[in-house]
Amino acid sequence: MKRFVYADNAATTQVSPRVLEAMKPWLLEQYGNPSSIYSIGRQARTAVETARRQVAAALDCEPNEVYFTSGGSEADNWALKGTAHLLAKQGKRHLITTNFEHHAILHTCAALEKEGFEVTYLPVDSKGLVTAEQVRQAIRPDTALVSIMYANNEIGTVQPISEIAAVCKEAGVRFHTDAVQAVGHLPISVREQNITMLSLSAHKLHGPKGVGALIVRKGFIPPNLIDGGGQEKGRRAGTENVSGIVGLGEAITAAVEKMEEETPRVTALRDRLIDGLIKLPKVRLNGDRQHRLPGNVNLSFEGIEGESLLLMLDYAGICASSGSACTSGSLDPSHVLLAIGLPHEVAHGSLRLTLGDQTTDEDVDYILEQVPPIVERLRSMSPVWEKIKDL
Amino acid sequence: MMYSEKVMDHFANPRNVGEIPDADGVGEVGNAKCGDIMKMYFKIDGDVITDVRFKTFGCGAAIATSSMATEMIKGRTIEEALQLSNKAVMEALDGLPPVKVHCSVLAEQAVKATLADYYRRQGIDPEPIVGKLEEVDHDHGEEEE
């Protein structure tokens, strides 16, 4: 029987009923501006500050180290451009990152390069991992910032963040991590892990779209992102997205509460999906199997192209994504898949299935039942498959 | 990005998929690196294309344009097939998104490449008849999700 299976939780997630309920009053009844003095304004201020404490508690930092933004991309831009511009005054014009970051980091780095900054892009290995030793060797006296993603959005690999941050601390270099895919899914302590700055987004953890945060440890604040009113201590002006911020606070609290129970459950579903699909001929798992987000499955099916696979899956009611050029809208397939050394033609045939809180055993059964005949059908009409199938 | 209903129909139910073991002409265009390859097989009787089959590795538009192009030339004369333009294929499909226009060019080229192979098998230089087959301009545009 046809089902609807949402297996694209790395793209976005459904707002949970608990989050929606928490948000509603701040849109309908207590709609005041947090900067206003009357009661519904004061209540909104309290709500924003409660959410700030919730985010701080979830990530083990101080509430005054939480700056709300419009999402992960804004937080990434602020962390990188702000820090670069601040430290350039001290002659530090070098940044270190990896070659498989999200475009919010890579394109920000490219913009900084145009301004004259120098960026080192550390190569990840074939499993999609970077080492603290690579970072150590790349740090120079003029390095302003190291920015390395906590977990990759496409292949789900989790980087040795604590070790990398320790290397940065030892060298006296600020460390930023784009943790958009990790927050709510992995235990994080900004304090213990020596993270200087961390970007997060609410809609990846059953919160609303359009809200996120940049965590900045005390004393490391980059220059103001938006000048205007006194919101976010004047660093990021503009009337707060109160309901969104409340939603983020509630979502992150719920995610941390459920993590102990959800992680083993989702990991088991993920492993069953990988084991079931990897049995097909000429399939490879992209990204390290151990150091991997609980819900991430990324496979390449040789001889077929990702977009047709996604369209067929859509007919079957399954929402997924791919790193093929046709779905990225550019000439090249995913830079992440190329970074781990996949040939173009194999990268075109990639499929990402990202599971979450709502994924059930039946959903996994259904995917395991639907994918093989679709792959077989596309392969039967592929001139590439005809050449490689017997190799 | 939106596909027309016609494109989705030809993608989901592609016409003329397969191979012709004793084909009179076989042509292949595109490359796997760019993510699309079309291979066509023609059976030709006199100057009429009596049967057409194709195999395509590629996106939804690549499969749909292959299907539509083969439909449009089946039972037609070689001369008519040579006049098939990518525009005609696109129109027959009720249009293609801008980033997918190259797929229709590929389909036109696949027809020409298959006819070129047919002439070569007859010992005839195809270039004066079919023209020079050029690399397809592979511009996917700059869209982001």
Side-chain angles (χ1 to χ4, degrees), chain B residues 49-103:
Chain B
I49 301 169
T50 54
D51 199 8
V52 188
R53 290 282 180 271
F54 81 89
K55 275 192 159 187
T56 290
F57 161 86
C59 61
I63 290 170
T65 52
S66 312
S67 167
M68 183 53 93
T70 54
E71 276 291 90
M72 291 170 83
I73 57 163
K74 203 160 133 183
R76 300 300 181 94
T77 63
I78 291 173
E79 203 181 327
E80 285 170 322
L82 283 171
Q83 269 156 35
L84 179 80
S85 70
N86 79 300
K87 267 205 171 134
V89 175
M90 275 209 296
E91 277 163 21
L93 286 168
D94 292 338
L96 283 174
V99 296
K100 301 294 187 181
V101 172
H102 74 276
C103 292

Side-chain angles (χ1 to χ4, degrees), chain A residues 114-358:
Chain A
K114 275 189 190 157
E115 287 181 39
F117 287 90
E118 204 186 319
V119 182
T120 299
Y121 299 92
L122 298 175
V124 294
D125 66 11
S126 62
K127 299 202 155 192
L129 295 167
V130 68
T131 66
E133 191 48 37
Q134 282 176 278
V135 176
R136 187 196 307 277
Q137 285 173 13
I139 291 177
R140 314 190 311 211
D142 65 338
T143 303
L145 181 70
V146 173
S147 178
I148 291 174
M149 70 197 321
Y150 209 112
N152 185 269
N153 49 310
E154 291 187 38
I155 56 174
T157 51
V158 180
Q159 306 305 315
I161 293 300
S162 301
E163 293 166 39
I164 292 168
V167 163
C168 294
K169 191 185 178 190
E170 193 189 306
V173 175
R174 296 170 189 219
F175 174 66
H176 167 258
T177 184
D178 174 343
V180 165
Q181 294 291 338
V183 170
H185 304 288
L186 298 171
I188 296 175
S189 165
V190 167
R191 194 191 319 263
E192 278 177 23
Q193 292 178 278
N194 293 305
I195 295 165
T196 324
M197 289 180 284
L198 177 148
S199 302
L200 68 106
S201 176
H203 77 102
K204 309 289 192 190
L205 43 133
H206 303 286
K209 293 166 184 66
V211 61
L214 179 66
I215 310 299
V216 186
R217 299 310 306 278
K218 247 180 238 114
F220 296 101
I221 188 75
N224 296 353
L225 177 67
I226 301 176
D227 291 308
Q231 297 88 355
E232 303 305 291
K233 291 183 262 177
R235 308 290 187 184
R236 199 270 186 194
T239 299
E240 297 88 343
N241 173 4
V242 180
S243 63
I245 288 169
V246 168
L248 167 58
E250 195 65 24
I252 202 169
T253 305
V256 171
E257 278 171 16
K258 283 196 288 187
M259 203 183 288
E260 208 176 321
E261 180 190 325
E262 277 298 296
T263 301
R265 190 189 74 84
V266 176
T267 305
L269 292 176
R270 173 198 77 186
D271 289 341
R272 195 154 72 79
L273 201 46
I274 293 174
D275 291 335
L277 293 176
I278 206 100
K279 281 192 230 147
L280 297 173
K282 307 239 183 236
V283 180
R284 57 161 285 171
L285 176 70
N286 297 316
D288 189 75
R289 179 130 193 196
Q290 266 69 49
H291 303 97
R292 189 175 196 99
L293 284 171
N296 179 288
V297 177
N298 190 310
L299 300 160
S300 280
F301 297 89
E302 289 186 46
I304 61 174
E305 193 279 331
E307 190 204 86
S308 13
L309 180 56
L310 295 189
L311 291 171
M312 291 276 182
L313 287 172
D314 184 38
Y315 278 121
I318 299 168
C319 305
S321 83
S322 168
S324 89
C326 283
T327 55
S328 74
S330 70
L331 178 63
D332 288 320
S334 141
H335 69 284
V336 173
L337 298 177
L338 297 181
I340 61 169
L342 253 62
H344 278 66
E345 53 271 35
V346 178
H348 284 301
S350 78
L351 174 68
R352 181 187 73 176
L353 297 156
T354 42
L355 315 179
D357 296 7
Q358 289 148 315

Side-chain angles (χ1 to χ4, degrees), chain A residues 73-122:
Chain A
S73 293
E74 183 184 313
D76 285 343
N77 270 262
W78 191 9
L80 266 61
K81 288 177 182 162
T83 304
H85 293 150
L86 180 72
L87 298 188
K89 291 173 199 152
Q90 300 170 21
K92 295 189 174 182
R93 303 183 65 83
H94 175 237
L95 291 92
I96 298 168
T97 187
T98 72
N99 61 349
F100 85 148
E101 297 291 313
H102 189 272
H103 283 138
I105 296 290
L106 289 180
H107 290 171
T108 300
C109 285
L112 287 167
E113 283 179 304
K114 275 189 190 157
E115 287 181 39
F117 287 90
E118 204 186 319
V119 182
T120 299
Y121 299 92
L122 298 175

Side-chain angles (χ1 to χ4, degrees), chain B residues 14-45:
Chain B
R15 283 63 148 177
N16 312 311
V17 174
E19 298 169 30
I20 301 175
D22 58 341
D24 298 309
V26 179
E28 185 178 304
V29 293
N31 71 71
K33 208 180 163 218
C34 295
D36 29 38
I37 294 186
M38 287 180 195
K39 191 170 181 182
M40 288 187 185
Y41 302 78
F42 292 175
K43 195 79 195 148
I44 294 170
D45 187 3

